[in-house]
Amino acid sequence: MSLRPRVLPRLLLAMALLFPAGCRADQGPLAPPPPPSADAPAPESSTPMHWPVPRPAPLTAANPVLWVALAARLGPAPADVQAAQPLRLRSSSGLLTLIDASGQRFQSPELVLHWRREVLPQPTTLRRRGLGPFASFESAEQAAGLWRAVGVEAVVAKPRDWEVWAPAGAPDPAPLPDGVRLTGFQRTVAERVGLELRRAQGVVPLVSPIRIEAPGGLLWKQGAYAGPFRLLADAHGGWSLVEQVPLERYLEGVVPHEIGAGVPAAALEAQAVLARTWAVRNQHRFVVDGYHLCADTQCQVYSDPRHAGAAVRQAIAATRLAVLMGADGPIHAVYHASNGGVSAAYPEAWNGAPVPYLTPFPDGPAPFQARFPVPLAATALPTLLRDGRAAWGADHPVFRWQRQLTAAQIATALGPERAVGRPTALKVLARGPSGRVLALEVQGTEGRTVLRLDAIRRTLRSLPSTLFTLQPAGAGVWQLVGGGFGHGAGLSQAGAIDLAGRGWSTRRILAHYYPGTTLQLLGAGGDSP
């Protein structure tokens, strides 16, 4: 049934008169942050690192439900609530039902939730040490291991960039990764932002978590989602709109946006397996904020599941609850658009130890593999980039690319935190076995800095990959010739589409890009690493 909004003449005029459908609740101020749930890690000191947030229920074979944030960091600063726009939630059809933690219940086709400045019963002090910024969750998680190795409770968070948080008394981690700062944070807060409904009878404060049911669908941005939903107070003092979505329905909102709907069935099925495996493996990614995953490129792009056509739904159904397993459980099911003809090892993309099923190899037929063996010789890289069209997936639009970088562009990209003055030289310091740049030095009139691994593309955002050669092209200008789009590890979507078109099965494609792994049903070999 279509979830397009229906015209509701005159009914919208009554939205200000939301009617309670259950018991009335205390109209007092918003409660202070809730304590952690029983399965949350115990704090290492009496001073919290962040606002305590209960953990979401883990995704398991018995409960295959993901908590996905459709929006995060909602809400203004407490001082700005009067000028802030309200949060509007609209039903696609029928009524929305809101139930807050105190049991208050309201129904309407549209909920207009206003931000509220709430004074806490007593001031709360937040203290922590921070490590960052990191270009990816993977690199932040690796750095968190420096603290965890010495018994320190460390969590990964994303206030803006990825960071690692530890209690204020934690020792200095060592060794400190390049370009990463160790900082301290202390703030005493006497208020935070809450939500309220404004009715003819008066203002109704709402207590987190807030449950929202939408039998006809919830309209959000350009999509409609089935829910149910929760509005949760997060670790940073803001709010998140979270959908509790069954895993298989989640894939309907991921697969067509990650690989497209018009590709061969085996490629669609491979993508479905990987998206499912990735979600199960990464369900701890935003646990500090009380949910599993985000809906953007920091996780997997998740959008309106209605966009999934018959081919996508068939691919998901054909692989129902199937995940790729390695020795430690569900694998690092990383994937990307195009590897440019040569697959990358895990340590070529992120800080971390080698992963046995993510290894470098020439991605093409036997003659291509013989011509470009790995480790790729320095002299072979220009040849590969000039004459590598025999590789699988060579028809991808960014299989080969060229970019120019100017000194002004580089200085802007580095920003004040990596200030080197006017860049005068770029130099590749190290390459990995697939030929990808591991370390790129920028020399300037006021200093130097080194970009490493995922920080290269995170900083120089015009670069599709780190598989490139570099040459001066005039004063303050550098020419880059490269191949591929993405980090290069794991499945190349362009390669999978090519191989599926050549008759390869789903299992053969997955074994090609993740050798030594097995396809199992969720729960058969453990639900998480």
Side-chain angles (χ1 to χ4, degrees):
M1 150 177 141
S2 172
L3 295 182
R4 293 181 182 275
R6 298 177 180 174
V7 178
L8 300 172
R10 302 192 180 275
L11 183 56
L12 297 179
L13 297 178
M15 286 188 296
L17 303 176
L18 296 171
F19 52 94
C23 61
R24 296 179 60 85
D26 182 11
Q27 304 295 302
L30 183 72
S37 61
D39 58 351
E44 293 193 7
S45 67
S46 58
T47 303
M49 294 187 288
H50 54 80
W51 292 106
V53 177
R55 289 177 178 266
L59 183 152
T60 64
N63 181 42
V65 176
L66 279 169
W67 292 33
V68 180
L70 301 180
R73 308 290 181 270
L74 295 171
D80 300 329
V81 295
Q82 293 299 323
Q85 292 295 314
L87 178 62
R88 294 180 179 272
L89 302 176
R90 291 191 299 127
S91 171
S92 179
S93 175
L95 298 176
L96 300 176
T97 300
L98 181 152
I99 309 165
D100 81 347
S102 68
Q104 299 179 109
R105 183 183 182 94
F106 303 91
Q107 288 185 317
S108 175
E110 181 176 37
L111 297 169
V112 182
L113 307 180
H114 292 266
W115 301 107
R116 177 182 179 87
R117 190 173 184 173
E118 299 286 0
V119 177
L120 302 177
Q122 59 184 23
T124 297
T125 298
L126 307 176
R127 296 179 63 221
R128 61 177 178 262
R129 304 197 77 187
L131 197 59
F134 296 94
S136 65
F137 172 86
E138 288 78 10
S139 290
E141 182 76 357
Q142 177 69 18
L146 300 175
W147 262 321
R148 293 169 184 163
V150 294
V152 173
E153 178 69 37
V155 297
V156 177
K158 195 176 186 297
R160 187 181 64 178
D161 295 312
W162 291 103
E163 298 179 2
V164 179
W165 293 349
D172 290 359
L176 209 61
D178 285 342
V180 170
R181 300 183 306 277
L182 187 60
T183 60
F185 176 92
Q186 178 169 327
R187 181 176 299 167
T188 298
V189 290
E191 57 188 8
R192 70 177 300 176
V193 173
L195 285 165
E196 67 184 22
L197 283 171
R198 297 176 183 176
R199 306 174 59 239
Q201 299 93 326
V203 173
V204 181
L206 301 172
V207 183
S208 174
I210 299 168
R211 181 178 174 87
I212 298 170
E213 298 172 354
L218 174 72
L219 294 174
W220 185 255
K221 296 183 178 178
Q222 287 75 47
Y225 301 85
F229 307 88
R230 290 197 175 203
L231 278 165
L232 304 175
D234 65 25
H236 310 270
W239 289 73
S240 305
L241 175 62
V242 174
E243 182 183 14
Q244 296 170 256
V245 55
L247 179 59
E248 302 303 293
R249 190 209 303 159
Y250 167 77
L251 297 183
E252 294 175 4
V254 170
V255 173
H257 303 287
E258 287 289 356
I259 198 171
V263 304
L268 276 178
E269 290 179 12
Q271 181 67 72
V273 170
L274 295 177
R276 186 184 295 111
T277 306
W278 191 95
V280 174
R281 172 89 186 201
N282 285 273
Q283 62 178 284
H284 62 300
R285 187 165 280 226
F286 282 92
V287 72
V288 71
D289 285 318
Y291 54 88
H292 297 129
L293 298 175
C294 59
D296 59 26
T297 55
Q298 293 297 322
C299 299
Q300 298 181 112
V301 175
Y302 170 64
S303 190
D304 190 340
R306 298 176 306 166
H307 294 164
V312 171
R313 295 177 189 274
Q314 175 57 35
I316 295 169
T319 63
R320 180 174 175 77
L321 294 181
V323 293
L324 272 185
M325 302 291 290
D328 62 348
I331 70 164
H332 288 286
V334 292
Y335 54 89
H336 56 281
S338 167
N339 61 21
V342 59
S343 185
Y346 185 91
E348 293 184 85
W350 305 283
N351 287 312
V355 175
Y357 46 81
L358 295 174
T359 57
F361 62 88
D363 193 15
F368 179 87
Q369 297 176 28
R371 187 179 180 193
F372 299 106
V374 295
L376 196 66
T379 55
L381 179 58
T383 304
L384 173 70
L385 295 175
R386 182 180 63 250
D387 184 23
R389 290 281 171 180
W392 306 133
D395 59 350
H396 188 275
V398 197
F399 182 76
R400 293 291 175 261
W401 52 265
Q402 295 188 31
R403 298 289 187 274
Q404 275 196 346
L405 291 176
T406 67
Q409 290 171 332
I410 296 168
T412 299
L414 291 175
E417 295 177 350
R418 286 183 180 263
V420 298
R422 182 176 60 84
T424 57
L426 292 184
K427 182 180 180 182
V428 174
L429 299 182
R431 292 186 182 273
S434 73
R436 285 172 170 79
V437 177
L438 304 182
L440 181 67
E441 180 187 61
V442 182
Q443 296 178 344
T445 55
E446 298 177 12
R448 65 182 287 274
T449 191
V450 178
L451 302 175
R452 299 184 186 275
L453 304 176
D454 49 351
I456 298 172
R457 291 178 59 232
R458 180 75 168 83
T459 304
L460 304 174
R461 293 180 178 270
S462 65
L463 302 186
S465 76
T466 55
L467 183 66
F468 61 80
T469 58
L470 172 66
Q471 295 291 335
V477 181
W478 293 269
Q479 182 75 20
L480 287 76
V481 176
F485 189 10
H487 49 69
L491 179 133
S492 163
Q493 291 171 323
I497 293 168
D498 190 353
L499 293 171
R502 297 171 186 267
W504 285 39
S505 69
T506 301
R507 287 180 179 270
R508 188 180 177 190
I509 291 171
L510 293 173
H512 173 70
Y513 286 108
Y514 308 93
T517 62
T518 58
L519 198 58
Q520 299 181 26
L521 291 179
L522 180 66
D527 290 318
S528 60

